[in-house]
mmCIF file of all heavy atoms in Angstrom:
data_model
loop_
_atom_site.group_PDB
_atom_site.id
_atom_site.type_symbol
_atom_site.label_atom_id
_atom_site.label_comp_id
_atom_site.label_asym_id
_atom_site.label_seq_id
_atom_site.Cartn_x
_atom_site.Cartn_y
_atom_site.Cartn_z
ATOM 1 N N TYR G 1 -15.173 7.760 -7.389
ATOM 2 C CA TYR G 1 -14.351 6.676 -7.929
ATOM 3 C C TYR G 1 -14.932 5.275 -7.779
ATOM 4 O O TYR G 1 -14.412 4.349 -8.401
ATOM 5 C CB TYR G 1 -12.963 6.708 -7.271
ATOM 6 C CG TYR G 1 -12.230 7.999 -7.483
ATOM 7 C CD1 TYR G 1 -12.027 8.897 -6.432
ATOM 8 C CD2 TYR G 1 -11.739 8.344 -8.740
ATOM 9 C CE1 TYR G 1 -11.358 10.095 -6.628
ATOM 10 C CE2 TYR G 1 -11.071 9.545 -8.946
ATOM 11 C CZ TYR G 1 -10.882 10.411 -7.877
ATOM 12 O OH TYR G 1 -10.225 11.591 -8.086
ATOM 13 N N CYS G 2 -15.958 5.102 -6.993
ATOM 14 C CA CYS G 2 -16.468 3.748 -6.726
ATOM 15 C C CYS G 2 -17.896 3.559 -7.218
ATOM 16 O O CYS G 2 -18.733 2.945 -6.564
ATOM 17 C CB CYS G 2 -16.386 3.429 -5.230
ATOM 18 S SG CYS G 2 -14.713 3.464 -4.588
ATOM 19 N N ARG G 3 -18.187 4.103 -8.380
ATOM 20 C CA ARG G 3 -19.518 3.937 -8.977
ATOM 21 C C ARG G 3 -19.364 3.818 -10.481
ATOM 22 O O ARG G 3 -18.327 4.213 -11.037
ATOM 23 C CB ARG G 3 -20.425 5.119 -8.625
ATOM 24 C CG ARG G 3 -19.897 6.433 -9.139
ATOM 25 C CD ARG G 3 -20.833 7.589 -8.888
ATOM 26 N NE ARG G 3 -20.236 8.806 -9.438
ATOM 27 C CZ ARG G 3 -20.939 9.794 -9.947
ATOM 28 N NH1 ARG G 3 -22.246 9.723 -10.000
ATOM 29 N NH2 ARG G 3 -20.347 10.867 -10.412
ATOM 30 N N PRO G 4 -20.362 3.260 -11.170
ATOM 31 C CA PRO G 4 -20.288 3.153 -12.632
ATOM 32 C C PRO G 4 -20.139 4.523 -13.272
ATOM 33 O O PRO G 4 -20.724 5.508 -12.809
ATOM 34 C CB PRO G 4 -21.626 2.501 -13.009
ATOM 35 C CG PRO G 4 -22.071 1.796 -11.779
ATOM 36 C CD PRO G 4 -21.572 2.625 -10.625
ATOM 37 N N SER G 5 -19.381 4.592 -14.358
ATOM 38 C CA SER G 5 -19.088 5.875 -14.994
ATOM 39 C C SER G 5 -20.208 6.372 -15.899
ATOM 40 O O SER G 5 -20.258 7.538 -16.242
ATOM 41 C CB SER G 5 -17.796 5.785 -15.819
ATOM 42 O OG SER G 5 -17.924 4.769 -16.802
ATOM 43 N N SER G 6 -21.100 5.509 -16.311
ATOM 44 C CA SER G 6 -22.150 5.911 -17.245
ATOM 45 C C SER G 6 -23.198 6.783 -16.570
ATOM 46 O O SER G 6 -23.622 6.518 -15.460
ATOM 47 C CB SER G 6 -22.831 4.670 -17.827
ATOM 48 O OG SER G 6 -23.374 3.884 -16.800
ATOM 49 N N GLY G 7 -23.566 7.847 -17.268
ATOM 50 C CA GLY G 7 -24.646 8.704 -16.792
ATOM 51 C C GLY G 7 -24.254 9.667 -15.694
ATOM 52 O O GLY G 7 -25.098 10.279 -15.068
ATOM 53 N N ASN G 8 -22.979 9.829 -15.442
ATOM 54 C CA ASN G 8 -22.555 10.740 -14.400
ATOM 55 C C ASN G 8 -22.719 12.189 -14.848
ATOM 56 O O ASN G 8 -22.479 12.532 -16.004
ATOM 57 C CB ASN G 8 -21.080 10.507 -14.049
ATOM 58 C CG ASN G 8 -20.857 9.163 -13.374
ATOM 59 O OD1 ASN G 8 -21.808 8.487 -13.019
ATOM 60 N ND2 ASN G 8 -19.602 8.787 -13.219
ATOM 61 N N SER G 9 -23.114 13.040 -13.945
ATOM 62 C CA SER G 9 -23.174 14.463 -14.214
ATOM 63 C C SER G 9 -21.793 15.065 -13.976
ATOM 64 O O SER G 9 -21.253 14.982 -12.880
ATOM 65 C CB SER G 9 -24.209 15.127 -13.293
ATOM 66 O OG SER G 9 -24.084 16.524 -13.340
ATOM 67 N N LEU G 10 -21.218 15.677 -15.032
ATOM 68 C CA LEU G 10 -19.879 16.247 -14.905
ATOM 69 C C LEU G 10 -19.864 17.391 -13.905
ATOM 70 O O LEU G 10 -18.907 17.548 -13.141
ATOM 71 C CB LEU G 10 -19.391 16.722 -16.272
ATOM 72 C CG LEU G 10 -19.088 15.623 -17.299
ATOM 73 C CD1 LEU G 10 -18.767 16.244 -18.658
ATOM 74 C CD2 LEU G 10 -17.933 14.755 -16.829
ATOM 75 N N TYR G 11 -20.930 18.201 -13.891
ATOM 76 C CA TYR G 11 -20.983 19.319 -12.946
ATOM 77 C C TYR G 11 -21.054 18.803 -11.508
ATOM 78 O O TYR G 11 -20.360 19.314 -10.621
ATOM 79 C CB TYR G 11 -22.192 20.199 -13.243
ATOM 80 C CG TYR G 11 -22.315 21.377 -12.301
ATOM 81 C CD1 TYR G 11 -21.476 22.484 -12.423
ATOM 82 C CD2 TYR G 11 -23.249 21.367 -11.266
ATOM 83 C CE1 TYR G 11 -21.572 23.560 -11.554
ATOM 84 C CE2 TYR G 11 -23.351 22.430 -10.390
ATOM 85 C CZ TYR G 11 -22.514 23.528 -10.541
ATOM 86 O OH TYR G 11 -22.610 24.581 -9.675
ATOM 87 N N THR G 12 -21.863 17.775 -11.279
ATOM 88 C CA THR G 12 -21.969 17.187 -9.940
ATOM 89 C C THR G 12 -20.635 16.611 -9.498
ATOM 90 O O THR G 12 -20.229 16.762 -8.337
ATOM 91 C CB THR G 12 -23.048 16.087 -9.916
ATOM 92 O OG1 THR G 12 -24.282 16.636 -10.360
ATOM 93 C CG2 THR G 12 -23.221 15.516 -8.519
ATOM 94 N N ASP G 13 -19.941 15.943 -10.428
ATOM 95 C CA ASP G 13 -18.629 15.383 -10.116
ATOM 96 C C ASP G 13 -17.645 16.471 -9.717
ATOM 97 O O ASP G 13 -16.867 16.311 -8.762
ATOM 98 C CB ASP G 13 -18.080 14.621 -11.326
ATOM 99 C CG ASP G 13 -18.741 13.261 -11.488
ATOM 100 O OD1 ASP G 13 -19.593 12.912 -10.648
ATOM 101 O OD2 ASP G 13 -18.415 12.560 -12.461
ATOM 102 N N LYS G 14 -17.671 17.587 -10.453
ATOM 103 C CA LYS G 14 -16.727 18.667 -10.150
ATOM 104 C C LYS G 14 -17.014 19.296 -8.786
ATOM 105 O O LYS G 14 -16.083 19.601 -8.037
ATOM 106 C CB LYS G 14 -16.775 19.730 -11.254
ATOM 107 C CG LYS G 14 -16.078 19.296 -12.536
ATOM 108 C CD LYS G 14 -15.883 20.451 -13.508
ATOM 109 C CE LYS G 14 -17.138 20.758 -14.280
ATOM 110 N NZ LYS G 14 -16.888 21.734 -15.366
ATOM 111 N N VAL G 15 -18.280 19.472 -8.471
ATOM 112 C CA VAL G 15 -18.649 20.037 -7.167
ATOM 113 C C VAL G 15 -18.229 19.091 -6.040
ATOM 114 O O VAL G 15 -17.667 19.524 -5.021
ATOM 115 C CB VAL G 15 -20.164 20.308 -7.100
ATOM 116 C CG1 VAL G 15 -20.569 20.695 -5.680
ATOM 117 C CG2 VAL G 15 -20.551 21.414 -8.075
ATOM 118 N N ALA G 16 -18.459 17.785 -6.232
ATOM 119 C CA ALA G 16 -18.073 16.807 -5.216
ATOM 120 C C ALA G 16 -16.556 16.773 -5.049
ATOM 121 O O ALA G 16 -16.044 16.668 -3.927
ATOM 122 C CB ALA G 16 -18.594 15.423 -5.596
ATOM 123 N N THR G 17 -15.829 16.892 -6.161
ATOM 124 C CA THR G 17 -14.373 16.855 -6.109
ATOM 125 C C THR G 17 -13.802 18.046 -5.352
ATOM 126 O O THR G 17 -12.763 17.934 -4.692
ATOM 127 C CB THR G 17 -13.786 16.812 -7.538
ATOM 128 O OG1 THR G 17 -14.379 15.735 -8.256
ATOM 129 C CG2 THR G 17 -12.287 16.594 -7.501
ATOM 130 N N VAL G 18 -14.481 19.190 -5.438
ATOM 131 C CA VAL G 18 -14.026 20.382 -4.711
ATOM 132 C C VAL G 18 -13.930 20.104 -3.212
ATOM 133 O O VAL G 18 -13.024 20.595 -2.531
ATOM 134 C CB VAL G 18 -14.973 21.575 -4.983
ATOM 135 C CG1 VAL G 18 -14.729 22.712 -3.989
ATOM 136 C CG2 VAL G 18 -14.793 22.088 -6.399
ATOM 137 N N PHE G 19 -14.843 19.278 -2.689
ATOM 138 C CA PHE G 19 -14.861 19.014 -1.260
ATOM 139 C C PHE G 19 -13.572 18.358 -0.787
ATOM 140 O O PHE G 19 -12.968 18.788 0.197
ATOM 141 C CB PHE G 19 -16.063 18.132 -0.893
ATOM 142 C CG PHE G 19 -17.320 18.909 -0.673
ATOM 143 C CD1 PHE G 19 -18.243 19.088 -1.693
ATOM 144 C CD2 PHE G 19 -17.575 19.501 0.560
ATOM 145 C CE1 PHE G 19 -19.394 19.816 -1.494
ATOM 146 C CE2 PHE G 19 -18.730 20.235 0.770
ATOM 147 C CZ PHE G 19 -19.647 20.389 -0.264
ATOM 148 N N TYR G 20 -13.125 17.295 -1.494
ATOM 149 C CA TYR G 20 -11.955 16.600 -0.971
ATOM 150 C C TYR G 20 -10.626 17.128 -1.514
ATOM 151 O O TYR G 20 -9.567 16.790 -0.992
ATOM 152 C CB TYR G 20 -12.067 15.082 -1.199
ATOM 153 C CG TYR G 20 -11.801 14.586 -2.596
ATOM 154 C CD1 TYR G 20 -10.526 14.224 -2.988
ATOM 155 C CD2 TYR G 20 -12.832 14.445 -3.512
ATOM 156 C CE1 TYR G 20 -10.277 13.758 -4.275
ATOM 157 C CE2 TYR G 20 -12.599 13.975 -4.789
ATOM 158 C CZ TYR G 20 -11.322 13.629 -5.168
ATOM 159 O OH TYR G 20 -11.086 13.173 -6.431
ATOM 160 N N THR G 21 -10.655 17.986 -2.542
ATOM 161 C CA THR G 21 -9.404 18.561 -3.043
ATOM 162 C C THR G 21 -9.138 19.960 -2.494
ATOM 163 O O THR G 21 -7.980 20.377 -2.417
ATOM 164 C CB THR G 21 -9.412 18.644 -4.582
ATOM 165 O OG1 THR G 21 -10.517 19.446 -5.008
ATOM 166 C CG2 THR G 21 -9.500 17.267 -5.207
ATOM 167 N N VAL G 22 -10.182 20.698 -2.122
ATOM 168 C CA VAL G 22 -10.021 22.091 -1.714
ATOM 169 C C VAL G 22 -10.524 22.337 -0.287
ATOM 170 O O VAL G 22 -9.821 22.932 0.536
ATOM 171 C CB VAL G 22 -10.758 23.033 -2.693
ATOM 172 C CG1 VAL G 22 -10.558 24.490 -2.280
ATOM 173 C CG2 VAL G 22 -10.269 22.824 -4.124
ATOM 174 N N VAL G 23 -11.735 21.879 0.008
ATOM 175 C CA VAL G 23 -12.364 22.199 1.291
ATOM 176 C C VAL G 23 -11.786 21.375 2.442
ATOM 177 O O VAL G 23 -11.441 21.924 3.498
ATOM 178 C CB VAL G 23 -13.898 21.997 1.204
ATOM 179 C CG1 VAL G 23 -14.541 22.281 2.555
ATOM 180 C CG2 VAL G 23 -14.491 22.904 0.129
ATOM 181 N N ILE G 24 -11.669 20.053 2.260
ATOM 182 C CA ILE G 24 -11.173 19.182 3.332
ATOM 183 C C ILE G 24 -9.767 19.566 3.786
ATOM 184 O O ILE G 24 -9.497 19.618 4.993
ATOM 185 C CB ILE G 24 -11.237 17.702 2.904
ATOM 186 C CG1 ILE G 24 -12.687 17.242 2.776
ATOM 187 C CG2 ILE G 24 -10.498 16.816 3.896
ATOM 188 C CD1 ILE G 24 -13.464 17.267 4.076
ATOM 189 N N PRO G 25 -8.811 19.847 2.867
ATOM 190 C CA PRO G 25 -7.481 20.276 3.335
ATOM 191 C C PRO G 25 -7.505 21.545 4.172
ATOM 192 O O PRO G 25 -6.619 21.752 5.001
ATOM 193 C CB PRO G 25 -6.708 20.499 2.018
ATOM 194 C CG PRO G 25 -7.365 19.602 1.040
ATOM 195 C CD PRO G 25 -8.827 19.639 1.405
ATOM 196 N N MET G 26 -8.502 22.409 3.957
ATOM 197 C CA MET G 26 -8.637 23.599 4.784
ATOM 198 C C MET G 26 -9.238 23.263 6.146
ATOM 199 O O MET G 26 -8.811 23.795 7.179
ATOM 200 C CB MET G 26 -9.518 24.629 4.078
ATOM 201 C CG MET G 26 -9.783 25.874 4.912
ATOM 202 S SD MET G 26 -11.135 26.909 4.295
ATOM 203 C CE MET G 26 -12.562 25.854 4.580
ATOM 204 N N LEU G 27 -10.225 22.350 6.159
ATOM 205 C CA LEU G 27 -10.935 22.045 7.398
ATOM 206 C C LEU G 27 -10.130 21.179 8.361
ATOM 207 O O LEU G 27 -10.280 21.307 9.583
ATOM 208 C CB LEU G 27 -12.263 21.347 7.079
ATOM 209 C CG LEU G 27 -13.337 22.183 6.381
ATOM 210 C CD1 LEU G 27 -14.576 21.326 6.135
ATOM 211 C CD2 LEU G 27 -13.687 23.411 7.204
ATOM 212 N N ASN G 28 -9.298 20.286 7.838
ATOM 213 C CA ASN G 28 -8.586 19.338 8.706
ATOM 214 C C ASN G 28 -7.785 19.998 9.820
ATOM 215 O O ASN G 28 -7.908 19.601 10.985
ATOM 216 C CB ASN G 28 -7.695 18.412 7.874
ATOM 217 C CG ASN G 28 -8.454 17.232 7.310
ATOM 218 O OD1 ASN G 28 -9.546 16.893 7.782
ATOM 219 N ND2 ASN G 28 -7.902 16.587 6.308
ATOM 220 N N PRO G 29 -6.936 21.010 9.526
ATOM 221 C CA PRO G 29 -6.203 21.629 10.642
ATOM 222 C C PRO G 29 -7.115 22.343 11.632
ATOM 223 O O PRO G 29 -6.789 22.414 12.827
ATOM 224 C CB PRO G 29 -5.256 22.625 9.943
ATOM 225 C CG PRO G 29 -5.847 22.849 8.606
ATOM 226 C CD PRO G 29 -6.527 21.570 8.226
ATOM 227 N N LEU G 30 -8.256 22.847 11.148
ATOM 228 C CA LEU G 30 -9.201 23.505 12.064
ATOM 229 C C LEU G 30 -9.884 22.485 12.956
ATOM 230 O O LEU G 30 -10.025 22.682 14.171
ATOM 231 C CB LEU G 30 -10.250 24.280 11.261
ATOM 232 C CG LEU G 30 -9.720 25.332 10.285
ATOM 233 C CD1 LEU G 30 -10.878 25.984 9.535
ATOM 234 C CD2 LEU G 30 -8.921 26.394 11.023
ATOM 235 N N ILE G 31 -10.298 21.365 12.385
ATOM 236 C CA ILE G 31 -11.022 20.340 13.140
ATOM 237 C C ILE G 31 -10.104 19.593 14.100
ATOM 238 O O ILE G 31 -10.419 19.403 15.279
ATOM 239 C CB ILE G 31 -11.699 19.344 12.178
ATOM 240 C CG1 ILE G 31 -12.833 20.039 11.417
ATOM 241 C CG2 ILE G 31 -12.246 18.137 12.930
ATOM 242 C CD1 ILE G 31 -13.439 19.205 10.318
ATOM 243 N N TYR G 32 -8.937 19.175 13.604
ATOM 244 C CA TYR G 32 -8.036 18.361 14.414
ATOM 245 C C TYR G 32 -7.170 19.180 15.364
ATOM 246 O O TYR G 32 -6.627 18.640 16.325
ATOM 247 C CB TYR G 32 -7.116 17.536 13.513
ATOM 248 C CG TYR G 32 -7.790 16.363 12.859
ATOM 249 C CD1 TYR G 32 -8.293 16.465 11.570
ATOM 250 C CD2 TYR G 32 -7.929 15.148 13.524
ATOM 251 C CE1 TYR G 32 -8.912 15.392 10.953
ATOM 252 C CE2 TYR G 32 -8.555 14.073 12.919
ATOM 253 C CZ TYR G 32 -9.040 14.192 11.628
ATOM 254 O OH TYR G 32 -9.659 13.129 11.033
ATOM 255 N N SER G 33 -7.035 20.475 15.102
ATOM 256 C CA SER G 33 -6.068 21.256 15.860
ATOM 257 C C SER G 33 -6.700 22.314 16.757
ATOM 258 O O SER G 33 -6.529 22.290 17.975
ATOM 259 C CB SER G 33 -5.086 21.939 14.888
ATOM 260 O OG SER G 33 -4.526 20.991 14.025
ATOM 261 N N LEU G 34 -7.448 23.233 16.149
ATOM 262 C CA LEU G 34 -7.930 24.372 16.918
ATOM 263 C C LEU G 34 -8.976 23.979 17.962
ATOM 264 O O LEU G 34 -9.211 24.718 18.909
ATOM 265 C CB LEU G 34 -8.484 25.445 15.971
ATOM 266 C CG LEU G 34 -7.448 26.071 15.028
ATOM 267 C CD1 LEU G 34 -8.090 27.169 14.210
ATOM 268 C CD2 LEU G 34 -6.260 26.612 15.801
ATOM 269 N N ARG G 35 -9.628 22.823 17.760
ATOM 270 C CA ARG G 35 -10.570 22.341 18.770
ATOM 271 C C ARG G 35 -9.860 21.538 19.862
ATOM 272 O O ARG G 35 -10.485 21.073 20.804
ATOM 273 C CB ARG G 35 -11.631 21.455 18.105
ATOM 274 C CG ARG G 35 -12.629 22.211 17.257
ATOM 275 C CD ARG G 35 -13.573 21.248 16.572
ATOM 276 N NE ARG G 35 -14.267 20.408 17.530
ATOM 277 C CZ ARG G 35 -15.396 20.733 18.154
ATOM 278 N NH1 ARG G 35 -15.954 21.891 17.905
ATOM 279 N NH2 ARG G 35 -15.958 19.909 19.005
ATOM 280 N N ASN G 36 -8.546 21.402 19.739
ATOM 281 C CA ASN G 36 -7.777 20.573 20.653
ATOM 282 C C ASN G 36 -7.150 21.428 21.745
ATOM 283 O O ASN G 36 -6.484 22.432 21.466
ATOM 284 C CB ASN G 36 -6.695 19.828 19.859
ATOM 285 C CG ASN G 36 -5.981 18.803 20.690
ATOM 286 O OD1 ASN G 36 -5.274 19.138 21.616
ATOM 287 N ND2 ASN G 36 -6.170 17.539 20.336
ATOM 288 N N ARG G 37 -7.327 21.003 23.001
ATOM 289 C CA ARG G 37 -6.832 21.779 24.134
ATOM 290 C C ARG G 37 -5.305 21.853 24.130
ATOM 291 O O ARG G 37 -4.721 22.896 24.438
ATOM 292 C CB ARG G 37 -7.319 21.140 25.437
ATOM 293 C CG ARG G 37 -6.925 21.916 26.693
ATOM 294 C CD ARG G 37 -7.338 21.157 27.935
ATOM 295 N NE ARG G 37 -8.773 20.922 27.958
ATOM 296 C CZ ARG G 37 -9.358 20.095 28.829
ATOM 297 N NH1 ARG G 37 -8.622 19.412 29.700
ATOM 298 N NH2 ARG G 37 -10.668 19.936 28.819
ATOM 299 N N ASP G 38 -4.630 20.735 23.802
ATOM 300 C CA ASP G 38 -3.168 20.717 23.799
ATOM 301 C C ASP G 38 -2.598 21.678 22.762
ATOM 302 O O ASP G 38 -1.604 22.370 23.014
ATOM 303 C CB ASP G 38 -2.655 19.297 23.514
ATOM 304 C CG ASP G 38 -2.976 18.339 24.644
ATOM 305 O OD1 ASP G 38 -3.136 18.809 25.785
ATOM 306 O OD2 ASP G 38 -3.058 17.121 24.401
ATOM 307 N N VAL G 39 -3.209 21.709 21.595
ATOM 308 C CA VAL G 39 -2.730 22.596 20.530
ATOM 309 C C VAL G 39 -2.924 24.054 20.930
ATOM 310 O O VAL G 39 -2.023 24.888 20.750
ATOM 311 C CB VAL G 39 -3.456 22.299 19.202
ATOM 312 C CG1 VAL G 39 -3.094 23.344 18.142
ATOM 313 C CG2 VAL G 39 -3.106 20.912 18.697
ATOM 314 N N LYS G 40 -4.084 24.383 21.481
ATOM 315 C CA LYS G 40 -4.342 25.760 21.890
ATOM 316 C C LYS G 40 -3.392 26.192 23.008
ATOM 317 O O LYS G 40 -2.913 27.329 23.018
ATOM 318 C CB LYS G 40 -5.803 25.907 22.329
ATOM 319 C CG LYS G 40 -6.788 25.842 21.175
ATOM 320 C CD LYS G 40 -8.193 26.202 21.581
ATOM 321 C CE LYS G 40 -8.866 25.099 22.348
ATOM 322 N NZ LYS G 40 -10.306 25.362 22.576
ATOM 323 N N GLU G 41 -3.094 25.271 23.921
ATOM 324 C CA GLU G 41 -2.168 25.580 25.012
ATOM 325 C C GLU G 41 -0.750 25.776 24.487
ATOM 326 O O GLU G 41 -0.041 26.700 24.896
ATOM 327 C CB GLU G 41 -2.186 24.452 26.041
ATOM 328 C CG GLU G 41 -1.311 24.711 27.265
ATOM 329 C CD GLU G 41 -1.749 25.921 28.065
ATOM 330 O OE1 GLU G 41 -2.950 26.265 28.034
ATOM 331 O OE2 GLU G 41 -0.880 26.535 28.727
ATOM 332 N N ALA G 42 -0.332 24.914 23.549
ATOM 333 C CA ALA G 42 1.009 25.046 22.958
ATOM 334 C C ALA G 42 1.130 26.347 22.180
ATOM 335 O O ALA G 42 2.161 27.032 22.244
ATOM 336 C CB ALA G 42 1.286 23.851 22.044
ATOM 337 N N LEU G 43 0.070 26.717 21.457
ATOM 338 C CA LEU G 43 0.071 27.970 20.698
ATOM 339 C C LEU G 43 0.117 29.170 21.634
ATOM 340 O O LEU G 43 0.835 30.144 21.384
ATOM 341 C CB LEU G 43 -1.170 28.022 19.805
ATOM 342 C CG LEU G 43 -1.265 29.178 18.814
ATOM 343 C CD1 LEU G 43 -0.083 29.157 17.849
ATOM 344 C CD2 LEU G 43 -2.579 29.116 18.041
ATOM 345 N N ARG G 44 -0.624 29.069 22.733
ATOM 346 C CA ARG G 44 -0.638 30.160 23.719
ATOM 347 C C ARG G 44 0.749 30.351 24.342
ATOM 348 O O ARG G 44 1.226 31.475 24.502
ATOM 349 C CB ARG G 44 -1.677 29.862 24.794
ATOM 350 C CG ARG G 44 -1.984 31.049 25.699
ATOM 351 C CD ARG G 44 -3.049 30.715 26.724
ATOM 352 N NE ARG G 44 -4.311 30.344 26.095
ATOM 353 C CZ ARG G 44 -4.863 29.135 26.153
ATOM 354 N NH1 ARG G 44 -4.250 28.162 26.813
ATOM 355 N NH2 ARG G 44 -6.002 28.894 25.558
ATOM 356 N N LYS G 45 1.400 29.246 24.661
ATOM 357 C CA LYS G 45 2.738 29.327 25.246
ATOM 358 C C LYS G 45 3.742 29.898 24.261
ATOM 359 O O LYS G 45 4.607 30.692 24.619
ATOM 360 C CB LYS G 45 3.196 27.936 25.700
ATOM 361 C CG LYS G 45 2.519 27.433 26.961
ATOM 362 C CD LYS G 45 3.076 26.082 27.358
ATOM 363 C CE LYS G 45 2.426 25.574 28.645
ATOM 364 N NZ LYS G 45 2.954 24.241 29.030
ATOM 365 N N LEU G 46 3.621 29.487 22.991
ATOM 366 C CA LEU G 46 4.550 29.965 21.968
ATOM 367 C C LEU G 46 4.384 31.453 21.737
ATOM 368 O O LEU G 46 5.375 32.200 21.685
ATOM 369 C CB LEU G 46 4.318 29.199 20.659
ATOM 370 C CG LEU G 46 5.231 29.558 19.493
ATOM 371 C CD1 LEU G 46 6.676 29.211 19.818
ATOM 372 C CD2 LEU G 46 4.791 28.846 18.222
ATOM 373 N N VAL G 47 3.137 31.914 21.628
ATOM 374 C CA VAL G 47 2.878 33.342 21.428
ATOM 375 C C VAL G 47 3.332 34.141 22.643
ATOM 376 O O VAL G 47 3.943 35.204 22.517
ATOM 377 C CB VAL G 47 1.381 33.581 21.142
ATOM 378 C CG1 VAL G 47 1.083 35.074 21.110
ATOM 379 C CG2 VAL G 47 0.978 32.932 19.823
#
């Protein structure tokens, strides 16, 4: 979104868009949660 629109590769744009629309929403709970000691302890207690 922050670059000139001329000469852009549509395929490159689509691949880049996959990262923040599909991959990042999957990674965020893994990165922010499962690596966290408090979350793992709370999950262990709940289970």
Side-chain angles (χ1 to χ4, degrees):
Y1 301 109
C2 299
R3 61 176 181 147
S5 58
S6 58
N8 292 351
S9 168
L10 291 174
Y11 180 75
T12 304
D13 283 359
K14 285 192 280 189
V15 172
T17 307
V18 166
F19 275 95
Y20 76 90
T21 59
V22 181
V23 178
I24 292 296
M26 176 195 68
L27 292 180
N28 276 342
L30 303 178
I31 292 172
Y32 285 96
S33 307
L34 296 184
R35 288 176 57 86
N36 188 293
R37 183 185 301 169
D38 293 335
V39 172
K40 288 189 285 188
E41 183 62 27
L43 187 60
R44 192 178 299 114
K45 286 182 179 179
L46 181 64
V47 173

